[in-house]
């Protein structure tokens, strides 16, 4: 802080006022060495032209708080060194302070507010009021970029005294019922500490005459919303009064346990509830999500669910039939173990290891489960069986869910292309290519981590190849997964099992390796290769900072970039068309590479043999070896491409990931 205070086996693919003491902290700076190079035609693309600060939270900060900075166009080290600058008044002094911020994502940074860091501003407690902005030092050229400042007030405290104003809950609850509380001074968890609801009283079981004493139980309070110190939620846990029906009379007080061990209590509030037993109210959910496939999390709503553990848990007993689409019917009588979410929700993950899979082939089943679902909960020797609920739930054949993880290094690599401002357009083109390549095959591409599936594959789109081999893509999953038995491959990061085989361990799709197609690749990237082509440079030279002018967001605000359906008019003659071509080509090459690596993960090529690529070199075959696929074919230029799955590969994919959709192609190349 700078402060002036006044006052297995893998496959390769392709500041006025009273003066006070001056406080300073020496900060080390990283210096990037650069080799000799030609003077660039365009300015280095920092990506900081759109730097913006949107908010800083929480507004009350204590030692241990994680201060979250929200905005856009943040930059990671070593390219950018970031600060949160505070200019204004604090505890009778004028301050102009810089707090070092840690990059989390392009729209989020964080500061870990240790007691030592906070005291550099001045004595605690205190209130800062003034201007706050983000400043970033762009290391390559030594320039500093600053966001437009925001006026803001932040309160700094050594400790917080909790206050409980109100309990928000109905008169009737289930066990593990979320009880909302309102007040002030709540802790947010983590290093700053935790707020607890301390409950005690007595419980009268249904039909009983005596109110049995309930000793003090402390239950964690979580914020109702991120950074909110005035509203929280705690669960009426089974440790308080068990799981049986009855009536609870008692009190609750809040207790703050800070990270330094200090505790502070609120006053008491009375609380009284009638407790009812567990119940199921619904299976599946809204918007037609009452269809399940292997690996899916099926939400089951109701009340009174108990988390699985040594003292108890929840079981779902299903009795009924499976009515298959082929007209057959099977009797089903099974117990299912769900995953606890909260007192109102559990999820059942369709899997191949439990009792249901012993009755049905859940990978291929197509039909409807119809019958009664009964919840059973246990806790410390108590056993409660809820009433049966009529349910109907459809099963469909296996679907491969694929999460595309765009890493920070991917976006940084776009700087080399001069295309950072076109990031979202490039991502969309990649998605379009993937959905085209896998049309009529049961693959579902996602751009956010799936919440509705427990089992899914991940493909990481990164910047440089960590293997140092200049690979365009690399499937580092262990061994050939014939039949796609795993469903949860990760093509990305490092795979220790693969490393043990002597193969490169890092997988993913690597943006910087695409410069191997350039006759003049940027320094410190990859060497040019025998398959380099002038067509690559015709597409990207207009935007590279060493050869042209990078695209900026300010530039995009004044033009319309077309969306081409082919590369026939590329490289284009005016700048908007050149931008469109760059998006089309880069998205096509990356998309095709992702399709190829995913194909490996699914068992291609030659799923029942020993080959990992198609044998030979025929045009436009997606699973050909990398050397057999030209840049023009990958980019869909000059009448080449797009590459497709050959007939045998397509038939195999339809076998393992079936749909009722027709093949969109009338003819496919032979394998």
């Amino acid at each position: 802080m700078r402060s002036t205070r006044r006052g297995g086996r893998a496959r390769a693919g392709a500041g006025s006022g009273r003066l006070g003491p001056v406080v300073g902290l020496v900060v080390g700076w990283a210096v990037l060495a650069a080799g000799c190079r030609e003077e660039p035609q365009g300015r280095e693309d920092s990506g900081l032209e759109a730097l913006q600060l949107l908010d800083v939270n929480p507004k009350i900060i204590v030692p241990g708080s994680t201060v979250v900075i929200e905005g856009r166009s943040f930059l990671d080290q070593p390219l950018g060194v970031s600060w949160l600058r505070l200019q204004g008044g604090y505890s009778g002094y004028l301050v102009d302070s810089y707090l070092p911020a840690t990059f989390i994502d392009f729209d989020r940074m964080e500061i870990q507010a240790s007691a030592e860091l906070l005291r550099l501003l001045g004595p605690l407690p205190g209130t800062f009021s003034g201007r706050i902005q983000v400043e970033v030092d762009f290391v390559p050229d030594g320039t500093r970029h600053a966001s437009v400042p925001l006026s803001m007030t932040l309160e700094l405290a050594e400790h917080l005294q909790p206050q409980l104003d109100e309990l928000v809950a109905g008169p009737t609850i289930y066990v593990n019922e979320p009880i909302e509380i309102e007040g002030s001074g709540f802790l947010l968890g983590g290093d700053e500490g935790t707020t607890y609801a301390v409950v005690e009283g007595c419980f009268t079981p249904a039909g009983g005459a005596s109110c049995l004493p309930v000793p003090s139980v402390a239950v964690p309070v979580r914020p109702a919303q991120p950074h909110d110190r005035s509203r929280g939620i705690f669960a009426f846990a089974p440790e308080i009064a068990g799981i049986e029906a009855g009536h609870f009379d008692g009190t609750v007080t809040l207790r703050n346990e800070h990270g330094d061990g200090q505790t502070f209590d609120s006053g008491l509030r009375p609380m009284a509830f009638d407790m009812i037993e567990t119940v199921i109210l619904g299976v599946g959910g809204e918007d037609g999500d009452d269809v399940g496939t292997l690996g899916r999390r099926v939400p089951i709503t109701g009340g009174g669910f108990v988390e699985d553990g040594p003292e108890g848990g929840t079981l779902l007993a299903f009795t009924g039939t499976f009515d298959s689409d082929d007209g057959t019917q099977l009797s089903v009588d099974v117990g299912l173990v769900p995953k606890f979410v909260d007192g109102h929700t559990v999820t059942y993950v369709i899997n191949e290891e439990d009792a249901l899979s012993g009755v049905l082939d859940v990978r291929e089943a197509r039909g409807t489960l119809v019958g009664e679902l009964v919840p059973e909960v246990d806790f410390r020797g108590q056993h409660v069986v809820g009433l049966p609920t009529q349910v109907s739930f459809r099963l469909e054949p296996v679907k491969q869910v694929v999460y595309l993880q765009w890493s920070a290094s991917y976006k940084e690599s776009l700087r080399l292309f001069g295309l950072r401002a076109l990031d979202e357009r490039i991502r969309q083109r990649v998605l379009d290519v993937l959905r085209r390549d896998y049309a009529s095959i049961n693959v579902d591409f996602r751009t956010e981590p799936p919440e509705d599936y427990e089992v899914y594959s991940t493909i990481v789109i990164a910047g440089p190849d960590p293997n140092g081999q200049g690979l365009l893509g690399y499937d580092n999953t262990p061994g050939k997964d014939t039949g796609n038995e795993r469903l949860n491959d990760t093509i990305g990061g490092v795979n220790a099992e693969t490393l043990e085989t002597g193969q490169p361990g890092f997988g993913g799709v690597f943006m910087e390796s695409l410069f191997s197609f350039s006759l003049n690749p940027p320094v410190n990237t990859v060497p040019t290769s025998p398959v380099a082509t002038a067509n690559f440079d015709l597409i990207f030279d207009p935007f590279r900072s060493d050869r042209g002018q990078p695209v900026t967001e300010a530039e995009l605000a004044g033009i319309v970039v077309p969306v081409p359906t082919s590369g026939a008019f590329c490289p284009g003659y005016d700048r908007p068309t050149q931008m469109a071509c760059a998006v089309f080509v880069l998205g096509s090459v990356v998309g095709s590479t992702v399709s190829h690596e995913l194909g490996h993960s699914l068992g291609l090529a030659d799923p029942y043999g020993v080959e990992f690529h198609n044998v030979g070199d025929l045009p436009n075959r997606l699973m050909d070896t990398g050397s057999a696929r030209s840049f023009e074919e990958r980019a869909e230029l000059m009448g080449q491409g797009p590459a497709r799955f050959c007939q045998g590969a397509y038939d195999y994919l339809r076998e393992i990931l079936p749909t009722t959709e027709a093949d969109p192609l009338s003819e496919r190349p032979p394998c």
Side-chain angles (χ1 to χ4, degrees), residues 81 96 163 208 328 386 457 608 628 637 654:
V81 180
D96 187 353
Q163 179 173 315
T328 61
S457 288
Y608 302 106
L637 293 174
R654 289 274 293 192

Side-chain angles (χ1 to χ4, degrees), residues 371-445:
E372 290 183 346
L373 193 62
V374 179
E376 300 182 23
V377 293
D378 291 272
F379 186 76
R380 293 180 180 174
Q382 294 180 323
H383 182 74
V384 173
V385 178
L387 295 174
T389 300
Q390 292 293 319
V391 298
S392 176
F393 189 80
R394 181 161 179 81
L395 293 178
E396 294 279 2
V398 60
K399 171 168 62 176
Q400 179 64 69
V401 177
V402 180
Y403 165 45
L404 300 180
Q405 182 177 335
W406 306 86
S407 72
S409 66
Y410 148 78
K411 192 166 183 178
E412 291 308 316
S413 289
L414 287 184
R415 182 193 321 281
L416 296 172
F417 291 90
L419 301 175
R420 276 174 52 103
L422 295 170
D423 175 26
E424 292 304 321
R425 291 174 171 88
I426 294 167
R427 297 190 194 202
Q428 186 58 55
R429 175 59 186 164
V430 170
L431 273 172
D432 291 345
V433 169
L434 292 171
R435 289 166 177 162
R436 178 199 66 198
D437 292 350
Y438 284 87
S440 74
I441 299 165
N442 209 2
V443 179
D444 182 1
F445 293 99

